[in-house]
Amino acid sequence: GESVGLHLPTLSVQEGDNSIINCAYSNSASDYFIWYKQESGKGPQFIIDIRSNMDKRQGQRVTVLLNKTVKHLSLQIAATQPGDSAVYFCAENRRRGGGNKLTFGTGTQLKVEL
Amino acid sequence: DTGVSQDPRHKITKRGQNVTFRCDPISEHNRLYWYRQTLGQGPEFLTYFQNEAQLEKSRLLSDRFSAERPKGSFSTLEIQRTEQGDSAMYLCASSLNPDRSYEQYFGPGTRLTVT
């Protein structure tokens, strides 16, 4: 498959370790923050969302943390597996006055080493 | 496979030619989005439909770009007089729940190369 990110920031982790992917956002008016995963040759895939009035949300093996003070979002993946290897994008959605579009940030390439 | 299909998967064209891409969303999804993605970047929003109505267009969408969703089902994106700068992956996405419109299901994309 083709690579979707040739010069992306890269995070390399050992299989079984926890991964933390970070994202800085700019729009304080965003209502939701979302993480998407994009595997080589595929479109982005929704992982998890967090509403702007929350600071933490957990899913299956994933946790998203939101720090509005410093406009920072992180995705934590527990017990990282080879299938987690992909490019991860954070995205913002502003429902009032922002329509329904997603504004994506710069991705991070996660590489899982066996 | 998310259920969103795009055709063709790859398109090579010469500068100045017109191209048209098709997107078939998940059947019950009434919202359809087009994005453009270049290497190393996140997808950039182009336009959005709710049923057959085109409700929002990005400033990125120049006059050479036009999108339609005539029956509220499939959509087409046409680029006229292609330029080398149009080379990119064109992604289509659909969503169902208006309260969770940010949860979008993306197709595999159409890779456009303009020579």
Side-chain angles (χ1 to χ4, degrees), chain A residues 26-79:
Chain A
S26 57
N27 191 344
S28 299
S30 294
D31 298 303
Y32 286 87
F33 299 90
I34 311 99
W35 283 99
Y36 275 82
K37 169 186 180 183
Q38 188 170 25
E39 296 175 276
S40 183
K42 296 183 179 181
Q45 177 187 359
F46 173 87
I47 302 175
I48 190 169
D49 64 281
I50 186 168
R51 191 167 178 172
S52 60
N53 62 355
M54 300 172 64
D55 52 22
K56 181 178 181 179
R57 186 157 188 233
Q58 287 185 292
Q60 187 177 10
R61 272 201 317 118
V62 295
T63 301
V64 57
L65 299 178
L66 175 62
N67 185 330
K68 293 182 286 294
T69 302
V70 294
K71 296 184 180 179
H72 183 266
L73 189 68
S74 69
L75 178 70
Q76 301 179 1
I77 303 174

Side-chain angles (χ1 to χ4, degrees), chain A residues 36 38 43-44 87 89-91 102-107, chain B residues 34-38 40-46 60 89 91 106:
Chain A
Y36 275 82
Q38 188 170 25
V87 177
F89 292 99
C90 63
L102 291 170
T103 302
F104 285 83
T106 304
Chain B
W34 285 99
Y35 293 84
R36 179 172 67 188
Q37 185 176 31
T38 53
Q41 302 295 318
E44 294 176 297
F45 171 82
L46 292 179
L60 292 175
M89 176 75 81
L91 293 162
F106 283 81

Side-chain angles (χ1 to χ4, degrees), chain A residues 90-102:
Chain A
C90 63
E92 305 172 48
N93 177 250
R94 183 162 60 93
R95 297 184 65 191
R96 292 181 303 277
N100 289 273
K101 66 181 180 183
L102 291 170

